[in-house]
Amino acid sequence: MKIIHFMNRFILSKKNIIRLACSDMAGKWMFGDNYIVVPNGLNVERYKISKEELETKERKTLILLSVGRIEKQKNYMFMLPVIKRLKDKGVKLKYFIAGDGILREKLQKKIQNYGLSDCIELLGNVAHIEKLLKKAHIFVMPSLYEGFSIAHLEAQCNGIACIISNKIPAESMLCKNVFSVPLNVNRWVSKIEELWAEEKTGFLYENYKMIAESAYSLEGLGKNMRSVYRSN
């Protein structure tokens, strides 16, 4: 795969084309230095939560959510001792993972070995992620590496607090209630407990407006693309 990547990178460097990337990391990986960043656009209305939905959200059970393929990169195995520690400390919680992948069976067995089948549910591929986000309290992303994650952008637009690994690029941290935490079980347990103890678990309703007015909305994407065409 690396050989194919470097071959494609060399071929593209010789072409008279406009090189677009959704983030600096993606641009450097694909093109080197000569590229234009055009962030992915999000249909923000789809992820907006009403104040009524927020006020009626479950408060007795902590709901954690991850979205993404069940593969090594997503590092879901890391969450098992985190969930186990919280459960042992008496925290009533559910952890939902929306996504499928080659490590699903292995992850399911690990969940059973940890005695967490009552706390963790693998949902498979889910069509309407916004419905899960509206029920969740904290979005967690313990990835070993990421580009600019759309799932993380969706969570921020919804307004819920996000805990992400410090392996995820800082450019994806658009909102104030996103917390980059090293992949240390104790530190993740502490941050989750801290957010759960806070009123509305650090929810920020204004996130929606901020993203709606940014380059990460569909309107922002349209403006960026028009600018690319006009300048080239």
Side-chain angles (χ1 to χ4, degrees), residues 55-131:
E55 303 227 345
T56 58
K57 185 176 282 196
E58 169 68 44
R59 279 295 298 170
K60 293 181 180 178
T61 301
L62 168 62
I63 300 176
L64 305 175
L65 175 66
S66 288
V67 178
R69 303 178 313 279
I70 303 179
E71 297 180 1
K72 183 178 179 180
Q73 170 202 349
K74 301 300 181 181
N75 198 27
Y76 293 134
M77 298 291 184
F78 169 81
M79 290 301 298
L80 303 189
V82 173
I83 301 300
K84 182 72 164 65
R85 190 80 58 82
L86 289 165
K87 181 182 178 182
D88 290 346
K89 296 178 80 170
V91 178
K92 187 178 179 182
L93 77 162
K94 292 284 289 187
Y95 176 37
F96 295 106
I97 299 175
D100 212 338
I102 58 175
L103 295 181
R104 178 170 182 162
E105 186 175 340
K106 182 177 180 181
L107 179 59
Q108 190 70 67
K109 288 180 179 178
K110 285 282 190 180
I111 291 169
Q112 293 169 356
N113 292 341
Y114 269 86
L116 295 173
S117 297
D118 60 329
C119 295
I120 303 177
E121 187 173 345
L122 307 183
L123 302 176
N125 293 321
V126 176
H128 297 285
I129 295 298
E130 70 276 9
K131 293 181 180 179

Coordinates of all heavy atoms in Angstrom, one line a residue, residues 55-131:
E55 N -33.5 19.1 27.4 CA -34.1 19.1 28.8 C -34.6 17.7 29.2 O -34.7 17.4 30.4 CB -35.1 20.2 28.9 CG -34.6 21.5 28.5 CD -35.0 22.6 29.5 OE1 -35.9 22.3 30.3 OE2 -34.4 23.6 29.5
T56 N -35.0 16.9 28.2 CA -35.6 15.6 28.5 C -34.6 14.5 28.4 O -35.0 13.3 28.5 CB -36.8 15.3 27.6 OG1 -36.4 15.4 26.2 CG2 -37.9 16.3 27.8
K57 N -33.3 14.8 28.2 CA -32.3 13.8 28.0 C -32.1 13.0 29.3 O -32.2 13.6 30.4 CB -31.0 14.5 27.6 CG -29.9 13.5 27.3 CD -28.6 14.1 26.8 CE -28.7 14.6 25.4 NZ -27.4 14.9 24.8
E58 N -31.9 11.7 29.2 CA -31.7 10.8 30.3 C -30.6 11.3 31.3 O -29.5 11.8 30.8 CB -31.3 9.4 29.8 CG -30.7 8.5 30.8 CD -31.8 8.0 31.8 OE1 -32.9 7.7 31.4 OE2 -31.5 8.0 33.0
R59 N -30.8 11.3 32.6 CA -29.8 11.8 33.5 C -29.4 10.7 34.5 O -28.4 10.9 35.3 CB -30.4 13.0 34.3 CG -30.2 14.3 33.5 CD -28.8 14.7 33.2 NE -28.1 15.0 34.4 CZ -26.7 15.2 34.4 NH1 -26.1 15.2 33.3 NH2 -26.1 15.5 35.6
K60 N -30.1 9.6 34.6 CA -29.8 8.6 35.6 C -28.7 7.7 35.1 O -27.9 7.1 35.9 CB -31.0 7.8 35.9 CG -32.1 8.6 36.7 CD -33.3 7.7 37.0 CE -34.3 8.5 37.8 NZ -35.5 7.7 38.1
T61 N -28.6 7.5 33.8 CA -27.6 6.6 33.2 C -26.7 7.4 32.2 O -27.2 8.1 31.3 CB -28.3 5.5 32.4 OG1 -29.1 4.7 33.3 CG2 -27.2 4.5 31.8
L62 N -25.4 7.3 32.5 CA -24.4 8.0 31.6 C -24.4 7.2 30.3 O -24.1 6.0 30.2 CB -23.0 8.0 32.3 CG -21.8 8.4 31.4 CD1 -22.0 9.8 30.9 CD2 -20.5 8.3 32.2
I63 N -24.5 8.0 29.2 CA -24.4 7.3 27.8 C -23.2 7.9 27.1 O -23.1 9.1 26.8 CB -25.7 7.6 27.0 CG1 -26.9 7.0 27.8 CG2 -25.6 7.0 25.6 CD1 -28.3 7.3 27.2
L64 N -22.3 7.0 26.8 CA -21.1 7.3 26.0 C -21.3 6.8 24.6 O -22.0 5.7 24.4 CB -19.9 6.6 26.6 CG -19.6 6.9 28.1 CD1 -18.4 6.1 28.5 CD2 -19.3 8.4 28.3
L65 N -20.7 7.4 23.6 CA -20.9 7.0 22.2 C -19.6 7.2 21.4 O -18.9 8.2 21.6 CB -22.0 7.9 21.6 CG -22.2 7.7 20.0 CD1 -22.8 6.3 19.7 CD2 -23.1 8.8 19.5
S66 N -19.3 6.2 20.6 CA -18.3 6.2 19.7 C -18.8 5.9 18.3 O -19.8 5.1 18.2 CB -17.1 5.2 20.0 OG -16.4 5.6 21.1
V67 N -18.3 6.5 17.2 CA -18.8 6.2 15.9 C -17.5 6.0 15.0 O -16.6 6.8 15.0 CB -19.6 7.4 15.3 CG1 -20.0 7.1 13.9 CG2 -20.8 7.7 16.2
G68 N -17.5 4.8 14.3 CA -16.4 4.5 13.4 C -16.2 3.0 13.2 O -16.8 2.2 14.0
R69 N -15.4 2.7 12.3 CA -15.1 1.3 12.0 C -14.5 0.6 13.2 O -13.7 1.2 13.9 CB -14.2 1.2 10.8 CG -14.7 1.8 9.5 CD -13.7 1.8 8.4 NE -12.3 2.1 8.8 CZ -11.9 3.4 8.9 NH1 -12.7 4.4 8.7 NH2 -10.6 3.6 9.3
I70 N -14.8 -0.7 13.3 CA -14.2 -1.4 14.4 C -12.9 -2.0 13.9 O -12.8 -3.2 13.4 CB -15.1 -2.5 15.0 CG1 -16.4 -1.9 15.4 CG2 -14.5 -3.3 16.1 CD1 -17.4 -2.9 16.0
E71 N -11.8 -1.2 13.9 CA -10.5 -1.6 13.5 C -9.5 -1.1 14.5 O -9.8 -0.3 15.3 CB -10.3 -1.0 12.1 CG -11.2 -1.5 11.0 CD -11.0 -0.9 9.6 OE1 -10.0 -0.1 9.5 OE2 -11.7 -1.2 8.7
K72 N -8.2 -1.5 14.3 CA -7.2 -1.2 15.2 C -7.0 0.3 15.4 O -6.8 0.8 16.5 CB -5.8 -1.8 14.7 CG -4.7 -1.6 15.7 CD -3.4 -2.2 15.2 CE -2.3 -1.9 16.2 NZ -1.0 -2.6 15.7
Q73 N -7.1 1.1 14.4 CA -7.0 2.5 14.4 C -7.9 3.2 15.4 O -7.5 4.1 16.1 CB -7.2 3.1 13.0 CG -7.3 4.7 13.0 CD -8.1 5.2 11.8 OE1 -8.4 4.4 10.9 NE2 -8.4 6.5 11.8
K74 N -9.1 2.7 15.5 CA -10.1 3.3 16.4 C -9.8 3.0 17.9 O -10.4 3.7 18.8 CB -11.5 2.9 16.0 CG -11.9 3.3 14.6 CD -11.8 4.8 14.3 CE -12.2 5.1 12.9 NZ -12.1 6.6 12.6
N75 N -9.1 2.0 18.2 CA -8.6 1.7 19.5 C -9.7 1.5 20.6 O -9.6 2.0 21.7 CB -7.7 2.9 20.0 CG -6.8 2.5 21.1 OD1 -6.4 1.4 21.3 ND2 -6.4 3.5 21.9
Y76 N -10.8 0.8 20.2 CA -11.9 0.6 21.1 C -11.5 -0.3 22.3 O -12.1 -0.2 23.3 CB -13.1 0.1 20.4 CG -13.7 1.0 19.3 CD1 -14.0 0.5 18.1 CD2 -14.0 2.3 19.7 CE1 -14.6 1.4 17.1 CE2 -14.5 3.2 18.7 CZ -14.9 2.7 17.5 OH -15.4 3.6 16.6
M77 N -10.5 -1.1 22.1 CA -10.1 -2.0 23.2 C -9.6 -1.1 24.4 O -9.8 -1.6 25.6 CB -8.9 -2.8 22.8 CG -9.2 -3.8 21.6 SD -10.3 -5.1 22.1 CE -10.3 -6.1 20.6
F78 N -9.1 0.0 24.1 CA -8.7 0.9 25.2 C -9.8 1.3 26.2 O -9.6 1.5 27.4 CB -8.1 2.2 24.6 CG -7.9 3.3 25.6 CD1 -6.7 3.3 26.5 CD2 -8.8 4.4 25.8 CE1 -6.5 4.3 27.4 CE2 -8.6 5.4 26.7 CZ -7.4 5.3 27.5
M79 N -11.0 1.4 25.6 CA -12.2 1.8 26.4 C -12.7 0.7 27.4 O -13.4 1.1 28.3 CB -13.3 2.2 25.5 CG -13.1 3.5 24.7 SD -12.9 4.9 25.7 CE -14.4 5.0 26.7
L80 N -12.3 -0.5 27.2 CA -12.8 -1.6 28.0 C -12.4 -1.4 29.5 O -13.2 -1.5 30.4 CB -12.4 -3.0 27.5 CG -12.9 -3.3 26.1 CD1 -12.6 -4.7 25.7 CD2 -14.3 -2.9 25.9
P81 N -11.1 -1.2 29.8 CA -10.7 -1.0 31.2 C -11.3 0.3 31.7 O -11.5 0.5 32.9 CB -9.2 -1.0 31.2 CG -8.8 -0.7 29.8 CD -9.9 -1.3 28.9
V82 N -11.5 1.3 30.9 CA -12.1 2.6 31.3 C -13.5 2.3 31.8 O -13.9 2.8 32.9 CB -12.1 3.6 30.1 CG1 -12.9 4.9 30.5 CG2 -10.7 4.0 29.7
I83 N -14.3 1.6 31.0 CA -15.7 1.3 31.3 C -15.7 0.4 32.6 O -16.6 0.6 33.4 CB -16.4 0.6 30.1 CG1 -16.4 1.5 28.9 CG2 -17.8 0.2 30.5 CD1 -17.1 2.8 29.0
K84 N -14.8 -0.6 32.6 CA -14.8 -1.5 33.8 C -14.5 -0.7 35.1 O -15.2 -0.9 36.1 CB -13.7 -2.5 33.6 CG -13.5 -3.5 34.7 CD -14.7 -4.5 34.7 CE -14.4 -5.8 35.5 NZ -14.3 -5.5 36.9
R85 N -13.6 0.3 35.0 CA -13.2 1.1 36.2 C -14.5 1.9 36.6 O -14.8 2.0 37.8 CB -12.1 2.0 35.9 CG -11.4 2.7 37.0 CD -10.5 1.8 37.8 NE -9.5 1.3 37.0 CZ -8.3 1.9 36.7 NH1 -8.1 3.1 37.1 NH2 -7.4 1.3 36.0
L86 N -15.1 2.5 35.7 CA -16.3 3.3 36.0 C -17.4 2.5 36.6 O -18.0 2.9 37.6 CB -16.8 4.0 34.7 CG -15.9 5.2 34.2 CD1 -16.4 5.5 32.8 CD2 -16.0 6.4 35.1
K87 N -17.6 1.3 36.0 CA -18.7 0.4 36.5 C -18.3 0.0 38.0 O -19.2 -0.1 38.8 CB -18.8 -0.8 35.6 CG -19.8 -1.8 36.1 CD -19.8 -3.1 35.1 CE -20.9 -4.1 35.6 NZ -20.8 -5.3 34.8
D88 N -17.1 -0.4 38.2 CA -16.6 -0.8 39.5 C -16.8 0.3 40.6 O -16.9 0.1 41.8 CB -15.2 -1.3 39.5 CG -15.0 -2.6 38.8 OD1 -16.1 -3.3 38.5 OD2 -13.9 -3.0 38.4
K89 N -16.7 1.6 40.1 CA -16.9 2.7 41.0 C -18.3 3.1 41.2 O -18.6 4.1 41.9 CB -16.1 3.9 40.4 CG -14.6 3.7 40.4 CD -13.8 4.8 39.8 CE -13.7 5.9 40.8 NZ -12.7 7.0 40.4
G90 N -19.2 2.3 40.6 CA -20.7 2.5 40.8 C -21.4 3.4 39.9 O -22.5 3.8 40.1
V91 N -20.7 3.8 38.8 CA -21.3 4.6 37.8 C -22.2 3.8 36.9 O -21.8 2.8 36.3 CB -20.2 5.3 36.9 CG1 -20.9 6.2 35.8 CG2 -19.3 6.2 37.7
K92 N -23.5 4.2 36.8 CA -24.4 3.5 35.9 C -24.3 4.1 34.5 O -24.5 5.2 34.3 CB -25.9 3.7 36.4 CG -26.9 2.9 35.7 CD -28.3 3.2 36.3 CE -29.4 2.4 35.5 NZ -30.7 2.7 36.0
L93 N -23.9 3.2 33.6 CA -23.5 3.7 32.3 C -23.8 2.7 31.2 O -23.9 1.5 31.4 CB -22.1 4.1 32.2 CG -21.0 3.1 32.1 CD1 -19.7 3.7 31.6 CD2 -20.8 2.3 33.4
K94 N -23.9 3.2 29.9 CA -24.0 2.5 28.7 C -23.0 3.1 27.7 O -22.9 4.3 27.6 CB -25.4 2.5 28.1 CG -26.4 1.8 29.0 CD -26.3 0.2 28.9 CE -26.8 -0.3 27.5 NZ -26.9 -1.8 27.5
Y95 N -22.3 2.2 27.0 CA -21.4 2.6 26.0 C -21.8 2.0 24.6 O -21.8 0.8 24.5 CB -20.0 2.2 26.4 CG -18.9 2.6 25.3 CD1 -18.9 3.7 24.6 CD2 -17.8 1.7 25.1 CE1 -18.0 4.0 23.6 CE2 -16.8 2.0 24.2 CZ -16.9 3.1 23.5 OH -15.9 3.4 22.5
F96 N -22.2 2.9 23.7 CA -22.6 2.4 22.4 C -21.5 2.7 21.3 O -20.9 3.8 21.3 CB -23.9 3.1 22.0 CG -25.1 2.8 22.8 CD1 -25.5 3.7 23.7 CD2 -25.7 1.6 22.8 CE1 -26.6 3.4 24.5 CE2 -26.8 1.3 23.6 CZ -27.2 2.2 24.5
I97 N -21.2 1.7 20.5 CA -20.3 1.8 19.4 C -21.0 1.6 18.1 O -21.6 0.5 17.9 CB -19.1 0.8 19.5 CG1 -18.3 1.1 20.8 CG2 -18.2 1.0 18.3 CD1 -17.2 0.1 21.1
A98 N -21.1 2.7 17.3 CA -21.8 2.6 16.0 C -20.8 2.4 14.9 O -20.0 3.3 14.7 CB -22.6 3.9 15.8
G99 N -20.8 1.2 14.3 CA -19.9 0.9 13.3 C -19.6 -0.6 13.2 O -20.0 -1.3 14.1
D100 N -19.0 -1.0 12.1 CA -18.7 -2.4 11.9 C -17.2 -2.5 11.5 O -16.6 -1.5 11.1 CB -19.7 -3.0 10.9 CG -20.0 -4.5 11.2 OD1 -19.1 -5.1 11.9 OD2 -21.0 -5.0 10.8
G101 N -16.7 -3.7 11.5 CA -15.3 -3.9 11.0 C -14.8 -5.2 11.3 O -15.4 -6.1 11.9
I102 N -13.5 -5.5 10.9 CA -12.9 -6.8 10.9 C -12.6 -7.2 12.4 O -12.4 -8.4 12.6 CB -11.6 -6.8 10.1 CG1 -10.6 -5.7 10.6 CG2 -11.9 -6.6 8.6 CD1 -9.3 -5.8 9.9
L103 N -12.6 -6.3 13.3 CA -12.3 -6.6 14.7 C -13.5 -6.8 15.6 O -13.4 -6.9 16.8 CB -11.3 -5.6 15.3 CG -9.9 -5.5 14.7 CD1 -9.1 -4.5 15.4 CD2 -9.2 -6.9 14.7
R104 N -14.7 -6.8 15.0 CA -15.9 -6.8 15.8 C -16.0 -8.0 16.6 O -16.3 -8.0 17.8 CB -17.2 -6.7 14.8 CG -18.5 -6.8 15.6 CD -19.7 -6.5 14.8 NE -20.9 -6.5 15.6 CZ -22.0 -6.0 15.3 NH1 -22.2 -5.3 14.2 NH2 -23.1 -6.1 16.1
E105 N -15.8 -9.2 16.1 CA -15.9 -10.4 16.8 C -14.9 -10.5 18.0 O -15.2 -10.9 19.1 CB -15.7 -11.6 15.9 CG -15.9 -13.0 16.6 CD -15.8 -14.2 15.6 OE1 -15.9 -14.0 14.4 OE2 -15.6 -15.3 16.1
K106 N -13.7 -10.0 17.7 CA -12.6 -10.0 18.7 C -13.0 -9.0 19.9 O -12.8 -9.3 21.1 CB -11.3 -9.6 18.1 CG -10.1 -9.6 19.1 CD -8.8 -9.2 18.4 CE -7.7 -9.2 19.4 NZ -6.4 -8.8 18.7
L107 N -13.5 -7.9 19.5 CA -14.0 -6.9 20.5 C -15.1 -7.4 21.3 O -15.1 -7.2 22.5 CB -14.4 -5.6 19.8 CG -14.9 -4.4 20.7 CD1 -13.8 -4.0 21.7 CD2 -15.3 -3.2 19.8
Q108 N -16.1 -8.1 20.7 CA -17.2 -8.7 21.4 C -16.7 -9.7 22.4 O -17.2 -9.7 23.6 CB -18.2 -9.3 20.4 CG -19.5 -9.8 21.0 CD -20.4 -8.6 21.4 OE1 -20.8 -7.8 20.5 NE2 -20.6 -8.4 22.7
K109 N -15.8 -10.5 22.1 CA -15.2 -11.5 23.0 C -14.5 -10.8 24.2 O -14.6 -11.2 25.4 CB -14.3 -12.4 22.3 CG -15.0 -13.4 21.4 CD -14.0 -14.3 20.7 CE -14.7 -15.3 19.8 NZ -13.7 -16.2 19.1
K110 N -13.8 -9.7 23.9 CA -13.1 -9.0 25.0 C -14.1 -8.3 25.9 O -13.9 -8.3 27.2 CB -12.2 -7.9 24.4 CG -10.9 -8.4 23.8 CD -9.9 -8.7 24.8 CE -8.6 -9.0 24.2 NZ -7.5 -9.3 25.3
I111 N -15.2 -7.9 25.4 CA -16.3 -7.3 26.2 C -16.8 -8.3 27.1 O -17.0 -8.0 28.3 CB -17.4 -6.7 25.3 CG1 -16.9 -5.5 24.5 CG2 -18.6 -6.4 26.1 CD1 -17.8 -5.0 23.4
Q112 N -17.0 -9.5 26.7 CA -17.5 -10.6 27.5 C -16.5 -11.0 28.6 O -16.9 -11.2 29.7 CB -17.9 -11.8 26.6 CG -19.0 -11.6 25.7 CD -19.2 -12.7 24.6 OE1 -18.4 -13.6 24.5 NE2 -20.3 -12.6 23.8
N113 N -15.2 -11.0 28.2 CA -14.2 -11.4 29.1 C -14.1 -10.4 30.3 O -13.8 -10.7 31.4 CB -12.8 -11.5 28.4 CG -12.8 -12.7 27.5 OD1 -13.6 -13.6 27.6 ND2 -11.8 -12.6 26.6
Y114 N -14.4 -9.1 30.0 CA -14.3 -8.0 31.0 C -15.6 -8.0 31.8 O -15.7 -7.3 32.8 CB -14.1 -6.7 30.3 CG -12.7 -6.2 30.2 CD1 -11.9 -6.6 29.1 CD2 -12.1 -5.4 31.1 CE1 -10.6 -6.2 28.9 CE2 -10.8 -5.0 31.0 CZ -10.1 -5.4 29.9 OH -8.8 -5.0 29.8
G115 N -16.6 -8.8 31.4 CA -17.9 -8.8 32.1 C -18.7 -7.5 31.9 O -19.4 -7.0 32.8
L116 N -18.6 -7.0 30.7 CA -19.2 -5.7 30.4 C -20.3 -5.8 29.3 O -20.7 -4.8 28.7 CB -18.1 -4.7 29.8 CG -17.0 -4.4 30.8 CD1 -16.0 -3.5 30.2 CD2 -17.6 -3.6 32.0
S117 N -20.9 -7.0 29.1 CA -21.9 -7.2 28.1 C -23.2 -6.4 28.4 O -23.9 -6.0 27.6 CB -22.3 -8.7 28.0 OG -21.2 -9.4 27.5
D118 N -23.3 -6.1 29.7 CA -24.5 -5.3 30.1 C -24.3 -3.8 30.0 O -25.2 -3.0 30.0 CB -24.9 -5.6 31.6 CG -23.7 -5.2 32.6 OD1 -22.6 -5.4 32.1 OD2 -24.0 -4.9 33.7
C119 N -23.0 -3.4 29.7 CA -22.7 -2.0 29.6 C -22.3 -1.5 28.2 O -22.5 -0.3 27.9 CB -21.5 -1.7 30.5 SG -21.8 -1.9 32.3
I120 N -21.8 -2.4 27.4 CA -21.3 -2.1 26.1 C -22.2 -2.8 25.0 O -22.4 -4.0 25.0 CB -19.8 -2.4 25.9 CG1 -19.0 -1.7 27.0 CG2 -19.4 -2.0 24.5 CD1 -17.5 -2.1 26.9
E121 N -22.6 -2.0 24.0 CA -23.4 -2.6 22.9 C -22.8 -2.1 21.6 O -22.6 -1.0 21.3 CB -24.8 -2.1 23.0 CG -25.7 -2.8 22.0 CD -27.2 -2.5 22.2 OE1 -27.6 -1.9 23.3 OE2 -28.0 -2.7 21.3
L122 N -22.5 -3.1 20.7 CA -22.0 -2.9 19.4 C -23.2 -2.8 18.4 O -23.9 -3.8 18.2 CB -21.1 -4.0 18.9 CG -19.9 -4.3 19.9 CD1 -19.0 -5.4 19.3 CD2 -19.1 -3.1 20.2
L123 N -23.5 -1.6 17.9 CA -24.7 -1.4 17.1 C -24.6 -1.7 15.6 O -25.6 -1.8 14.9 CB -25.1 0.1 17.2 CG -25.3 0.6 18.7 CD1 -25.6 2.1 18.6 CD2 -26.5 -0.1 19.3
G124 N -23.4 -2.0 15.2 CA -23.2 -2.1 13.7 C -23.3 -0.8 13.0 O -23.3 0.3 13.6
N125 N -23.5 -0.8 11.7 CA -23.6 0.4 10.9 C -25.0 1.0 11.2 O -26.0 0.3 11.2 CB -23.5 0.1 9.5 CG -22.0 -0.3 9.1 OD1 -21.1 0.2 9.7 ND2 -21.9 -1.2 8.2
V126 N -25.0 2.3 11.5 CA -26.2 3.0 11.8 C -26.5 4.2 10.8 O -25.6 4.9 10.5 CB -26.1 3.6 13.3 CG1 -27.4 4.4 13.6 CG2 -25.9 2.5 14.3
A127 N -27.7 4.2 10.3 CA -28.0 5.2 9.2 C -28.2 6.6 9.8 O -27.8 7.6 9.1 CB -29.3 4.7 8.5
H128 N -28.8 6.7 11.0 CA -29.1 8.1 11.5 C -28.3 8.3 12.8 O -28.8 8.2 13.9 CB -30.6 8.2 11.7 CG -31.4 8.1 10.5 ND1 -31.4 9.1 9.5 CD2 -32.1 7.1 10.0 CE1 -32.2 8.8 8.5 NE2 -32.6 7.5 8.8
I129 N -27.0 8.7 12.6 CA -26.1 8.9 13.8 C -26.7 10.1 14.6 O -26.5 10.1 15.9 CB -24.7 9.2 13.3 CG1 -24.1 8.0 12.6 CG2 -23.8 9.7 14.5 CD1 -24.0 6.8 13.5
E130 N -27.4 11.0 14.0 CA -27.9 12.2 14.8 C -28.8 11.8 15.9 O -28.9 12.4 17.0 CB -28.5 13.2 13.9 CG -29.8 12.8 13.2 CD -29.7 11.9 12.0 OE1 -28.6 11.5 11.7 OE2 -30.7 11.7 11.3
K131 N -29.5 10.7 15.7 CA -30.5 10.2 16.7 C -29.7 9.7 18.0 O -30.1 9.9 19.1 CB -31.4 9.1 16.2 CG -32.3 9.6 15.1 CD -33.3 8.5 14.6 CE -34.2 9.0 13.5 NZ -35.1 8.0 13.0

